[in-house]
Amino acid sequence: MGSATKLAFSVFLISCSSGAILGRSETQKCVHYNYSPSSSSSVAGVEGRGNVSGVMTCSGEKDKRLHCFATWKNVSGAVQVVKQGCWLDDVNCYDRNECVEKKDAPEVFFCCCEGSLCNDKFYYSPDSSQPPPTTNKPVTSPPPVLTTLMYSLVPIMAVTAIILFSFWMYRHHKLAYPPVLVPTQDPGPLPPSPILGQKPLQLLEIKARGRFGCVWKAQLLSEYVAVKIFPIQDKQSWQNEFEIYNLNGMRHENLLQFIGAERRGSNMDMELWLITAFHEKGSLTDYLKANVLSWSELCLIAQSMSRGLAYLHEDIPGHKDGHKPAIAHRDFKSKNVLLKSNLTACIADFGLALRFEAGKSPGDTHGQVGTRRYMAPEVLEGAINFQRDAFLRIDMYALGLVLWELASRCKAADGPVDEYMLPFEEEVGQHPSLEDIQEVVVHKKLRPLLRECWQKHAGLALLCETIEECWDHEAEARLSAGCVEERVVQMQRQTSVTAPEEIVTVVTMVTNVDYPPKESSL
């Protein structure tokens, strides 16, 4: 009888605890504080702190629990608050009424809790093993009626507990990685970015998968970031992209902002992370699939994209950060162009990029790399001149194809807008072989179709000429990225002063327009 009672009571506790785990927290508000080095230091005792910035209301997905958190440092025996605010659904914070750090002597203290304003006070209390409390009270046998009731409820409670526990396990493992502090491990020869420090980083959802791994949307304190995760087999691509991002002068509004890099795990289970800015609109490919463009939107994307590529290609000896070398992307395509919230473009994915520094080897100059449908004719033929300008011209061929993608989804022309298609998709389908592309691009010298109706729009007519000069079969005849940027500016000026009834006149006179000169030497 006694063992049956204990079993029933254990199942009851499991059921209750599972229900507590699944229950929604009533957390609504948290103390918000953000340390700024330029302001006076915020120093307080272990049980609180001064200089509160305010109280913030937390919000999140319906099925997520909300918590509060606090991070602080011990500076010469005094507590310096780093950050306080809201924290997403984290099993380590469940049912904690107080904000307590239990790790033994961490470099940065971190705690989280549930309850309105529960992070107003925070504590440091290292774990200490204490024996469980004992009792000398005698155990009395339950009456027969209670025993019978317990026997009846045990199967029901056991099934309920198993279901609840299984559901909790499912929710708990929805994210492939738990919340962590960045960085948690020594990145080896590559120093971690000082921007990251020891800030909490939490992976949220996978946004894209590619040849070299997957890209996660993640939360770094109160900001969203992108985390690109490489398997150990693609270490060379991760290493190269890290080194490109860390070159002098690589901070530019039209290049993806780099935040940090690190290694996770060990041996064959190691993962290589790159942390960058996150842009909700995603890649240009994805945006064009779901949206058509106005003429002004096309010009904005084309101008900012060509400006970013021109800056990447440029050698700048007198840059304020030091000598910025010329860089060839080598995998330029619409999938590697990201759109910011204002539709300006920034270039991403430098895993195959080459840098050209005086007196140094540019690295692996294997010619036939990149995405097949965007490969220039000389790449497909294996006839590359392994000089800097030759690699920059390969990027310009791909830029011409991306400009065609923009034109194909623009509603400015007097004609229907087709469904989005990749370059050469009409000719070779979605998954062409290298031989298919070689046949179309090299032997037949075909290019994606420039619609007849585009020629009836003053701006698109100029864009078509620019596209044709970018994807010219002769590499030396192609425009430079800087020249393309100037052309787009000229298109905007041309169309901004053109009334609808004047369009035909402008098109007939387009050959008399003075274009920016081609830059044959790039």
Side-chain angles (χ1 to χ4, degrees), residues 252-302:
H252 187 271
E253 61 179 341
N254 301 122
L255 301 180
L256 182 60
Q257 180 191 355
F258 173 71
I259 297 175
E262 63 173 31
R263 302 177 183 180
R264 297 292 179 97
S266 58
N267 301 325
M268 292 307 294
D269 294 329
M270 180 182 291
E271 291 180 336
L272 308 169
W273 289 21
L274 281 176
I275 300 96
T276 63
F278 176 76
H279 298 294
E280 189 66 51
K281 289 187 183 296
S283 72
L284 179 58
T285 302
D286 296 333
Y287 188 81
L288 292 179
K289 286 179 182 178
N291 301 274
V292 294
L293 303 175
S294 65
W295 174 245
S296 60
E297 289 171 337
L298 182 150
C299 290
L300 176 62
I301 296 172

Side-chain angles (χ1 to χ4, degrees), residues 400 450 455 463-473 478:
L450 299 173
Q455 304 294 338
L463 181 63
C464 287
E465 286 202 27
T466 302
I467 291 172
E468 288 180 314
E469 291 181 75
C470 284
W471 67 29
D472 196 295
H473 200 83
R478 294 173 196 153

